[in-house]
Structure formats: C-alpha cells, structure tokens
Amino acid sequence: MKTYSLDEATDKYIGKKGTPKRDEFENELRLDLIGNAIKQARKERNLTQAQLGELVGVQKAQISKLENHLTDARFETILKVFKALNAKINFNVELLNQNLNLS
C-alpha cells in the first residue's frame, strides 16, 4: 500500500495549485479558518454571539454565519469583528511570486 503526503493527495483529489478547483478549495479553507479564529477569540473573551454582534453593530445571526462559514462576509465586517475582539490581524498577500506582508 502506497502512502501519500498531504500535498500529493490534495493535488490528486482536488487539483494542482493554480487550477480553479484548487483555488476554490483553498479559499473555502481560509474562510473556514477565519470563522474558527473568530469563534475561538470570542469564547476566550467570554462573549456570546449576541454580545459580539452588539460590539460590531451586526445581528447575532451574522456572527453565527461568520463563525460557521455560512456566508461570504464583507472584508470590512471581518475587520470590525477582530477589532471588537481586540485581536491583532496580519495578512500575507502573494503577488506574482512576490510576498507582500501587511502587518
């Protein structure tokens, strides 16, 4: 029985990097990770979804949707949520094989 690395399995079953299917998969994964980060930070600060929604100026349902990746949230909303959670945000943008780190 042959074993595969995670990269090999992802290439085989989802597609190679740069293909539309792989890009979509990686985007969904990133959004899921953001939702999990929001949920974890909210719980660490002992806030309910309703309380966090109040701090951000959105309904509890919007916070739930962000945490469970049930919606494509506006970037501005995500930034407001992390600001309300007093969380530091770092983004790494890759342009034409060059890294641009936005801290």
Side-chain angles (χ1 to χ4, degrees):
M1 181 166 140
K2 181 175 177 112
T3 58
Y4 294 93
S5 69
L6 178 58
D7 286 337
E8 289 171 328
T10 305
D11 286 349
K12 182 175 181 177
Y13 294 104
I14 296 175
K16 297 218 180 265
K17 286 188 179 193
T19 61
K21 188 174 179 183
R22 177 70 172 262
D23 289 345
E24 181 181 343
F25 168 78
E26 289 181 351
N27 184 47
E28 297 259 339
L29 180 60
R30 282 192 230 28
L31 292 174
D32 193 48
L33 292 172
I34 288 171
N36 286 338
I38 290 170
K39 187 175 194 172
Q40 181 179 354
R42 175 182 62 78
K43 286 185 172 191
E44 286 174 1
R45 285 151 181 79
N46 295 314
L47 293 171
T48 65
Q49 289 178 338
Q51 290 169 326
L52 179 56
E54 248 180 71
L55 290 172
V56 177
V58 299
Q59 298 293 318
K60 172 193 175 288
Q62 182 67 23
I63 300 300
S64 176
K65 288 177 182 177
L66 284 172
E67 290 182 357
N68 295 298
H69 183 236
L70 298 176
T71 185
D72 287 334
R74 292 179 41 183
F75 189 68
E76 178 183 356
T77 304
I78 293 171
L79 291 177
K80 284 181 182 178
V81 168
F82 280 118
K83 183 176 181 181
L85 291 168
N86 197 27
K88 183 178 177 181
I89 304 167
N90 291 309
F91 292 96
N92 186 36
V93 178
E94 188 176 320
L95 300 172
L96 301 174
N97 297 326
Q98 296 174 344
N99 283 330
L100 174 64
N101 193 356
L102 306 174
S103 298

